Amino acid sequence: MNYFSSEFKLGILGGGQLGKMLLAETRKFDIQTYVLDPSKEAPSQFGANHFFIGDLMDFDTVYDFGKKVDLLTIEIENVNLDALDKLEADGLKVFPSPKTLRLIQNKGNQKDFYVANNIPTSPHQRFKNIQNLKSKIQLPCVWKAARFGYDGNGVKILKQAADLELLPDVECLIEELVPFKNELAVIVARSASGEVKTYPVVEMEFHPEANQVEYVICPARIDEKVAQKATEIALKVSEAFNHVGLLAVEMFQTHDDEILVNEVAPRPHNSGHYSIEASYTSQFENHLRAILNLPLGNTESKVAGIMVNLVGAEGYSGNVIYENIEKIMAIDGVTPHIYGKRETRPFRKMGHVTIVNEDMNEARRIAEEVKNTIRVISEIK
Ligand code: ADP
């Protein structure tokens, strides 16, 4: 297959910001891109050669879309897997494979998989519905919807009995609450032929209420030994999944420097956005190289990189305004990425800003300045 010819057709399921950034990298190659997304306002609509509107969970829609392309990838895990199975059986290359996606789509299956593969993770119990759960758990603990959660919206920390009353009646799991001192992530790139490279360990800081990442810091400011352990565990997870493409492995660093795997994403990930400006090869380019079975690019960083998520400010909904964006752009090493979502809502991911600097302390200082300066608001409160 010639990946350097405009005859080659790459399909992407999902047209959000990850797709938009992936599409930008496809322009380094000479290939045609096809995107499927349910929204006519999807951030990827203008970056793709061909944009289709349709339900990613509908068998026929996904199958028919797959029939148009030479290779299929995803930027969101919640897609119709039966359609992907059939496409794969028909001979289409689908990366990540439906088998990998099936293990990941259900958080209960994902946790069982870690246990079966001797991958350190917090203890868990699975429940088919809320009734069974109530009599069997010890507080505090963490409740997670087995399916369709994202950005923390399917996750609740349960502290008192009253917290249980607010839970939806869906398949779920309960995890031991990990009192971690750090959240870390490692992105592993793995090509179809088995070449593997890891990005440096990054450290994440979360917004206390929204449960969304506020800063991603690369490299993580942790002990070399801990970084090594996290990288080894990420590689073990990657080997167990035998995935093709990227695998972002999210982990907890406990107070006694144990590493526990939280969850994975088989695609470019928020924790790797810094790589567009800070790395020799961005995560998006390496995802493409991996699925196209080309040599992987250098995953090392050129400079310290910090990413600040741009999320909608509380109290504002409607047509978005990026207040003070010019001010932050006047600072050296600051690059905003605007995803192109027309409407802001509290905590909605609207973009991100990358800060690069030779000096990590200076990068961290600027990141805070950026965060305190730019605001994602709307005309009317
Ligand atoms: P999502 O898939 O929505 O991102 P995660 O499973 O990553 O959900 O959980 C969101 C956040 O909730 C994590 O980043 C972490 O801060 C917190 N969290 C999740 N599981 C645990 C746990 N077992 N112990 C403590 N905190 C947790």
Side-chain angles (χ1 to χ4, degrees):
M1 193 65 78
N2 185 359
Y3 302 131
F4 303 98
S5 132
S6 42
E7 304 295 300
F8 182 79
K9 301 183 184 91
L10 172 70
I12 305 170
L13 292 172
Q17 62 263 22
L18 298 173
K20 184 181 177 184
M21 290 183 267
L22 188 62
L23 287 167
E25 294 294 327
T26 63
R27 296 308 179 201
K28 291 178 178 165
F29 301 81
D30 180 26
I31 58 180
Q32 281 193 58
T33 52
Y34 287 63
V35 168
L36 177 69
D37 192 272
S39 167
K40 68 178 191 328
E41 290 179 7
S44 295
Q45 62 178 313
F46 301 117
N49 296 92
H50 307 279
F51 178 67
F52 297 84
I53 297 167
D55 182 355
L56 295 166
M57 292 305 291
D58 180 64
F59 180 93
D60 290 333
T61 307
V62 172
Y63 184 74
D64 293 346
F65 177 78
K67 281 294 183 194
K68 298 183 204 300
V69 300
D70 299 311
L71 193 152
L72 193 55
T73 190
I74 52 115
E75 62 108 61
I76 185 167
E77 291 92 302
N78 289 323
V79 298
N80 188 296
L81 297 184
D82 294 335
L84 294 192
D85 280 337
K86 187 153 189 317
L87 287 163
E88 201 176 47
D90 292 353
L92 184 71
K93 287 189 170 135
V94 182
F95 298 134
S97 70
K99 184 168 162 267
T100 300
L101 286 168
R102 194 159 269 124
L103 277 171
I104 290 170
Q105 260 191 5
N106 184 308
K107 285 193 181 200
N109 292 348
Q110 209 186 121
K111 289 286 279 190
D112 287 349
F113 181 77
Y114 299 142
V115 175
N117 285 278
N118 268 328
I119 290 159
T121 192
S122 64
H124 73 287
Q125 287 172 275
R126 298 180 67 169
F127 297 96
K128 278 275 165 238
N129 57 46
I130 196 88
Q131 260 60 48
N132 299 355
L133 179 150
K134 284 188 176 163
S135 56
K136 292 197 182 129
I137 60 166
Q138 272 194 328
L139 300 172
C141 62
V142 181
W143 170 91
K144 294 185 182 181
R147 293 168 64 94
F148 304 123
Y150 65 93
D151 289 346
N153 75 353
V155 177
K156 294 265 178 310
I157 293 179
L158 307 179
K159 292 190 177 137
Q160 53 208 22
D163 295 341
L164 271 90
E165 301 308 318
L166 303 169
L167 298 176
D169 187 14
V170 293
E171 186 191 342
C172 61
L173 56 152
I174 291 292
E175 291 181 17
E176 210 169 278
L177 181 71
V178 180
F180 55 83
K181 71 174 172 201
N182 239 326
E183 289 198 59
L184 308 174
V186 172
I187 294 178
V188 186
R190 191 165 206 280
S191 72
S193 62
E195 188 191 359
V196 175
K197 283 193 178 166
T198 54
Y199 279 87
V201 183
V202 301
E203 156 196 357
M204 294 182 267
E205 258 179 62
F206 277 73
H207 187 286
E209 288 150 49
N211 232 343
Q212 277 189 343
V213 183
E214 217 163 17
Y215 297 114
V216 173
I217 301 174
C218 180
R221 298 160 299 176
I222 53 172
D223 196 88
E224 183 52 34
K225 279 205 190 102
V226 177
Q228 240 172 26
K229 198 197 255 180
T231 305
E232 277 162 24
I233 289 174
L235 280 168
K236 189 171 174 186
V237 177
S238 164
E239 213 166 280
F241 277 108
N242 202 13
H243 63 103
V244 173
L246 299 184
L247 190 77
V249 184
E250 293 182 29
M251 293 167 275
F252 300 122
Q253 177 190 0
T254 66
H255 290 283
D256 44 7
D257 287 342
E258 221 190 315
I259 298 289
L260 299 174
V261 172
N262 175 27
E263 61 166 2
V264 299
R267 52 167 169 76
H269 190 250
N270 191 262
S271 67
H273 291 351
Y274 77 89
S275 67
I276 298 175
E277 282 83 14
S279 309
Y280 285 96
T281 316
S282 83
Q283 61 163 344
F284 298 98
E285 181 178 336
N286 261 335
H287 184 69
L288 290 172
R289 287 178 180 231
I291 62 176
L292 298 177
N293 204 18
L294 294 166
L296 298 176
N298 185 350
T299 49
E300 285 166 34
S301 296
K302 296 183 269 193
V303 279
I306 300 188
M307 189 220 46
V308 178
N309 275 320
L310 287 182
V311 300
E314 262 182 292
Y316 293 90
S317 293
N319 285 349
V320 62
I321 297 173
Y322 300 93
E323 190 182 69
N324 292 332
I325 193 164
E326 291 87 352
K327 281 196 185 143
I328 64 155
M329 288 178 79
I331 309 170
D332 266 358
V334 172
T335 305
H337 291 252
I338 301 302
Y339 299 155
K341 300 174 187 176
R342 202 183 309 172
E343 302 229 326
T344 182
R345 287 192 297 272
F347 304 117
R348 187 177 192 199
K349 272 190 199 160
M350 301 298 287
H352 72 263
V353 182
T354 309
I355 295 99
V356 293
N357 201 287
E358 297 286 334
D359 177 44
M360 173 57 87
N361 293 329
E362 183 60 4
R364 183 63 182 75
R365 189 195 64 73
I366 296 172
E368 189 136 1
E369 187 182 336
V370 165
K371 199 182 139 274
N372 293 335
T373 305
I374 189 164
R375 279 205 318 157
V376 182
I377 56 170
S378 55
E379 285 158 41
I380 312 157
K381 234 189 151 171

